[in-house]
Amino acid sequence: MGFARACSVALVGVDGVVVEVQADLEPGVAAFTLVGLPDKTLVESRDRVRAAVVNSGAAWPQKKLTVGLSPASVPKSGAGFDLAVAAAVLGAAEVVDPAAIADLVLIGELGLDGRVRPVRGILPAVLAAAEAGYRQVVVPRQCAAEAALVPDVSVLGVRSLRQLIAVLTDGVVPEEEPGDPPGRPDPMLAGLLVPGAGLGTGLAPGRPDGDGTDFPDLADVTGQQTARRALEVAAAGGHHLFLSGPPGAGKTMLAERLPWLLPPLTRQDSVEVTAVHSVAGILPPGEPLVSRPPYCAPHHSATMQSLVGGGTGVPRPGAVSLAHRGVLFLDEAAEFHSRALDALRQPLESGHVVIARAAGVVRLPARFLMVLAANPCPCGRHTLHGAGCECPPSVIRRYQARLSGPLLDRVDLRVEVEPVTRRDLLGRGGRGESTAVVADRVREARERAGARLAGTAWRLNSEVPGQELRTRWQPAPGALAQAERELERGLLTARGLDRVLRVAWTVADLRGRDRPEALDVAVALELRTGIARGAMSVPGAGT
């Protein structure tokens, strides 16, 4: 009778649970039984592991073999348990020392030839192992850089089961060369990408090169001074933004430049974002750590599950989680299904999304900056003078009502994007500020807010509760008089007043002031309600 155990990790969303893989050999008819709530992919590991062990030069035990995955109540899915199952079987057969693998966490899929294939979710799996007290992990060689992001964990990257056996038996480690000629993409990396997700989904458009110029520049946007200022305020304070205007006015151009106004991710945020992208299967090979704020722009035909997460079995991250610590851009927002849009209301408030399915409950991070863009009517010409809009008023009302009041109440900034004039289009109005210049002001404003909020649970003005802003950090005396009148007239809700105050703090941070004044609140009101009050025309009011 032989017994051995190794460890692996089961992922539930982006959270991991360490699973003990136990192998037991008993005399009897040769059979391989796998228990512990495995899914179909994991059940098929019996054949993969057997073929991989034999093709790696080890003898397969001709006894009754039972492999248990504990705790049995946790759902287990995917092929990432193959390596741990093989190690436990070899330990039970005394091919390797059972004590050498008892506290070893092994993650990886096995090919029939014994090669170790990479799997998704390596970073959150290693994080879960480290939190559980494990300090040694074995992963596919292609994923070693991703696993090494976790501090105080020794990472061993292997290309084949033969290499692992040699390491565990103190033998000569064979060299495993990639099986494809140089210049061809490594087919082993196919396990890291979800088919149809597309390489780079969830990443900001454009990539910076050596001189930092290979990305969308805000200076390319002609005119749109109010929208540019709103974009800067949104980036500085993390405020949601709604851009409404005719087609071709530059709404998409503005949204695509927003991620590059945001500061680079902190180390903690980078790990969070990388973990989500790794589980979702959109982490680009060769880039183990996402350092820039992500950008996600789903098509307006996206379902509610694709936006907030879900699917059959264990729920998977949706667009709100892929945009965590970055930008979620919903172009043609009025064309989205109303149920899908209203499903965003909870993550907009809480910064996470909780999905309940029969297989379990998953909590996914979803702290994103949302940008909505929509036309004023189905034809898009309603706000253009003399453009010949033939949409009946009832059709226009129904079209604009697709964006519900509760959703828009959670949007801090609402801007009417005007058509580009001939003067701006021909460059006679002068070139606007570049992304680098605006990004510097955004960084300085965030540093002021960070110093003020140090020691609290909040990092951005958009996260601070209104009660704290009214009591702990009060604006200048009389600064809220105009906003309070709007509240009494019913033009602002209580939530709206809090959001005006948050935007006013961001405007004050951009102007380098210690607290908001009446002009800062007036700018916030104009950006919130979309009603021109003359505040944005004051020099420096929006910056």
Side-chain angles (χ1 to χ4, degrees):
M1 176 178 178
F3 177 83
R5 66 183 182 90
C7 294
S8 191
V9 178
L11 288 177
V12 183
V14 294
D15 298 321
V17 178
V18 175
V19 173
E20 189 176 87
V21 181
Q22 303 170 340
D24 177 70
L25 285 175
E26 296 180 355
V29 178
F32 189 170
T33 304
L34 183 64
V35 297
L37 208 57
D39 71 343
K40 182 174 178 56
T41 303
L42 187 48
V43 169
E44 293 174 347
S45 68
R46 295 177 300 184
D47 299 321
R48 291 194 301 270
V49 170
R50 181 187 293 110
V53 169
V54 172
N55 290 327
S56 298
W60 183 258
Q62 298 301 316
K63 295 182 180 180
K64 181 182 179 182
L65 172 61
T66 303
V67 173
L69 308 175
S70 180
S73 59
V74 176
K76 302 153 188 88
S77 61
F81 292 88
D82 289 2
L83 201 57
V85 171
V89 171
L90 293 173
E94 297 184 351
V95 175
V96 300
D97 183 7
I101 62 173
D103 294 322
L104 203 59
V105 176
L106 302 102
I107 308 167
E109 177 185 347
L110 285 175
L112 299 183
D113 57 355
R115 288 191 298 174
V116 181
R117 303 179 66 92
V119 294
R120 299 188 295 270
I122 288 291
L123 178 58
V126 177
L127 283 170
E131 292 175 357
Y134 292 88
R135 291 294 175 261
Q136 291 182 312
V137 298
V138 179
V139 298
R141 177 71 61 84
Q142 295 90 333
C143 301
E146 183 181 345
L149 297 174
V150 182
D152 302 326
V153 173
S154 176
V155 178
L156 173 63
V158 294
R159 287 190 180 275
S160 68
L161 184 59
R162 286 181 290 271
Q163 289 185 338
L164 177 60
I165 294 174
V167 171
L168 295 176
T169 58
D170 295 328
V172 178
V173 179
E175 289 292 334
E176 298 285 353
E177 298 294 335
D180 293 279
R184 289 187 183 179
D186 188 354
M188 304 288 281
L189 298 177
L192 297 178
L193 298 176
V194 173
L199 185 63
T201 301
L203 299 179
R207 306 298 299 166
D209 57 16
D211 58 3
T213 58
D214 186 21
F215 58 86
D217 196 346
L218 193 59
D220 296 334
V221 180
T222 58
Q224 308 300 353
Q225 295 304 318
T226 301
R228 290 168 61 97
R229 292 176 182 174
L231 205 70
E232 182 177 346
V233 173
H239 305 286
H240 306 304
L241 174 64
F242 175 41
L243 300 174
S244 176
K251 301 186 294 294
T252 302
M253 289 184 66
L254 288 165
E256 289 179 346
R257 282 145 182 80
L258 181 56
W260 299 101
L261 298 181
L262 305 177
L265 298 175
T266 64
R267 175 73 179 190
Q268 180 180 355
D269 291 343
S270 294
V271 172
E272 291 180 0
V273 173
T274 302
V276 175
H277 286 208
S278 179
V279 169
I282 61 171
L283 188 64
E287 296 186 23
L289 187 67
V290 178
S291 59
R292 291 292 314 176
Y295 173 87
C296 192
H299 191 260
H300 61 259
S301 61
T303 62
M304 182 172 64
Q305 288 76 16
S306 66
L307 283 181
V308 301
T312 58
V314 178
R316 304 193 66 83
V320 296
S321 297
L322 299 181
H324 179 59
R325 298 299 179 188
V327 177
L328 175 65
F329 176 46
L330 302 183
D331 198 6
E332 304 294 344
E335 300 293 341
F336 280 80
H337 196 282
S338 58
R339 287 186 59 202
L341 290 177
D342 287 337
L344 301 176
R345 286 150 57 175
Q346 185 261 341
L348 284 174
E349 287 289 330
S350 62
H352 63 266
V353 58
V354 178
I355 307 170
R357 294 291 186 271
V361 179
V362 174
R363 185 181 187 272
L364 299 170
R367 180 72 68 182
F368 56 91
L369 198 166
M370 183 180 68
V371 179
L372 301 173
N375 297 328
C377 67
C379 74
R381 300 191 298 268
H382 175 60
T383 57
L384 299 178
H385 298 290
C389 175
E390 298 179 355
C391 299
S394 60
V395 173
I396 296 175
R397 285 195 300 269
R398 283 197 301 268
Y399 187 81
Q400 295 178 351
R402 292 181 181 181
L403 300 178
S404 66
L407 176 64
L408 291 180
D409 200 34
R410 290 166 169 82
V411 178
D412 300 345
L413 312 174
R414 307 173 190 176
V415 177
E416 291 285 342
V417 181
E418 300 293 336
V420 180
T421 64
R422 182 178 62 178
R423 180 172 181 269
D424 290 329
L425 192 61
L426 298 179
R428 298 172 183 172
R431 190 174 170 86
E433 292 180 314
S434 66
T435 295
V437 173
V438 179
D440 285 340
R441 286 203 300 267
V442 169
R443 176 183 51 80
E444 293 173 359
R446 287 203 172 198
E447 289 176 353
R448 293 189 187 97
R452 182 174 63 253
L453 301 175
T456 69
W458 315 294
R459 296 189 298 176
L460 298 175
N461 291 326
S462 60
E463 302 173 4
V464 183
Q467 178 65 21
E468 297 289 335
L469 292 177
R470 291 191 297 269
T471 58
R472 188 171 178 179
W473 296 290
Q474 296 183 355
L480 286 177
Q482 187 176 5
E484 291 171 353
R485 288 195 298 270
E486 301 290 352
L487 178 65
E488 294 177 354
R489 295 171 57 192
L491 296 179
L492 281 180
T493 63
R495 180 192 287 120
L497 180 62
D498 289 345
R499 293 184 177 274
V500 166
L501 190 51
R502 293 171 184 171
V503 175
W505 270 105
T506 301
V507 175
D509 288 334
L510 285 169
R511 300 177 65 196
R513 298 186 179 276
D514 294 333
R515 57 179 179 174
E517 298 179 352
L519 177 60
D520 302 321
V521 176
V523 171
L525 274 173
E526 184 169 334
L527 292 175
R528 168 74 181 181
T529 62
I531 301 175
R533 304 166 189 270
M536 295 295 292
S537 61
V538 177
T543 57

